[in-house]
Amino acid sequence: MTDIHLDQTRQKIPQPVKQLTFDELKAFPLPKAVETLPTSYLQDFSDNKQLLQGYIRQLEAYSTKQQEVVRTLQQADDILENVVYSQLIKDYEKVIDKINQQIKSINIIYQEFINLETYQYQLLSSNFNQDNLKAKFKKLIEENNQESLDIVKNFNDRSHGSEISDESFGTMIENFKNSRKLYHFRKEKLNRWEEERVSGFL
């Protein structure tokens, strides 16, 4: 992400202009030309706002402070123009563009996730609905039944023309019983399932 350093302007920011105090203004003593005026004229002078403002503005301290204010405003304007607008705002625009690109990427990834999730549910729905599960379970029972028949057939094929030992015969009987037991268990499970006495095979 684009680095934005807000502290890069701190050293350039001018100090606040201090308020001009009455003592710093040095409005007194009045110029001799004013002091020598008759009292009535002095009274008119002190009552006239425009005359007082004109007198204050021509004071050296006021003029110096006014120049300081102008310089400070120019420096602040320069910072706004060359640093804040030209640099910081442009940096923020780059960051905003990058964020927008990332949001678009996230939206694309999220949409892909939704599509994959939908596809997953479709697969689950097609592979694990009741009819498919029953069909697969019936096929498993048929294979189980064929396994029982194969146990007997294979035993007969191996023992054809040869003597049958009690041990091999007992092993065949045990395997056949276990196979048929599993077959009948699954068959009963399927029958109960089709009668809706169970929710599915376990």
Side-chain angles (χ1 to χ4, degrees):
M1 183 175 289
T2 303
D3 292 331
I4 297 177
H5 302 288
L6 296 178
D7 59 346
Q8 58 191 323
T9 62
R10 288 181 181 173
Q11 294 181 350
K12 299 180 181 180
I13 294 178
Q15 295 295 323
V17 178
K18 295 181 180 180
Q19 185 175 359
L20 184 63
T21 65
F22 184 78
D23 291 337
E24 292 173 338
L25 189 59
K26 297 179 180 179
F28 296 100
L30 295 173
K32 290 183 179 181
V34 177
E35 284 185 341
T36 58
L37 291 174
T39 304
S40 59
Y41 286 102
L42 285 175
Q43 186 65 40
D44 292 339
F45 174 77
S46 62
D47 293 338
N48 192 311
K49 182 178 179 181
Q50 292 181 345
L51 288 177
L52 287 175
Q53 288 179 342
Y55 169 69
I56 292 174
R57 287 172 181 170
Q58 59 85 36
L59 294 175
E60 182 179 357
Y62 181 89
S63 178
T64 302
K65 182 61 68 173
Q66 187 178 42
Q67 293 174 7
E68 181 185 353
V69 171
V70 171
R71 287 195 303 270
T72 302
L73 290 175
Q74 289 175 342
Q75 292 175 6
D77 183 68
D78 181 68
I79 290 173
L80 289 173
E81 178 67 24
N82 298 322
V83 178
V84 175
Y85 176 75
S86 300
Q87 186 172 349
L88 293 181
I89 291 181
K90 288 185 178 180
D91 287 344
Y92 269 116
E93 289 175 348
K94 293 178 182 178
V95 173
I96 291 172
D97 289 340
K98 191 162 187 177
I99 291 174
N100 288 333
Q101 292 175 1
Q102 291 176 342
I103 291 175
K104 289 180 181 179
S105 299
I106 291 173
N107 287 334
I108 292 173
I109 294 173
Y110 177 73
Q111 188 60 49
E112 290 178 352
F113 169 77
I114 294 297
N115 293 337
L116 289 174
E117 188 179 40
T118 303
Y119 181 65
Q120 180 185 32
Y121 284 131
Q122 290 173 345
L123 289 177
L124 290 173
S125 176
S126 62
N127 291 330
F128 295 99
N129 61 51
Q130 291 290 315
D131 292 337
N132 284 344
L133 287 175
K134 286 181 181 179
K136 291 179 180 180
F137 197 45
K138 287 179 180 179
K139 184 177 180 181
L140 184 63
I141 293 174
E142 292 173 359
E143 292 175 352
N144 197 187
N145 183 54
Q146 185 62 44
E147 179 187 42
S148 301
L149 298 176
D150 289 342
I151 290 174
V152 177
K153 182 177 181 300
N154 292 335
F155 178 80
N156 290 332
D157 291 343
R158 289 196 305 269
S159 62
H160 184 69
S162 61
E163 185 177 353
I164 301 173
S165 66
D166 293 340
E167 183 180 356
S168 62
F169 181 76
T171 301
M172 184 274 294
I173 293 297
E174 186 67 24
N175 291 338
F176 180 79
K177 286 171 60 179
N178 291 334
S179 178
R180 296 312 291 175
K181 182 178 180 180
L182 181 59
Y183 167 80
H184 288 296
F185 173 79
R186 288 174 172 170
K187 187 72 174 178
E188 173 62 17
K189 199 74 171 177
L190 178 62
N191 292 336
R192 293 173 60 197
W193 188 5
E194 289 179 336
E195 294 173 3
E196 297 184 352
R197 287 185 288 163
V198 293
S199 59
F201 70 90
L202 298 174

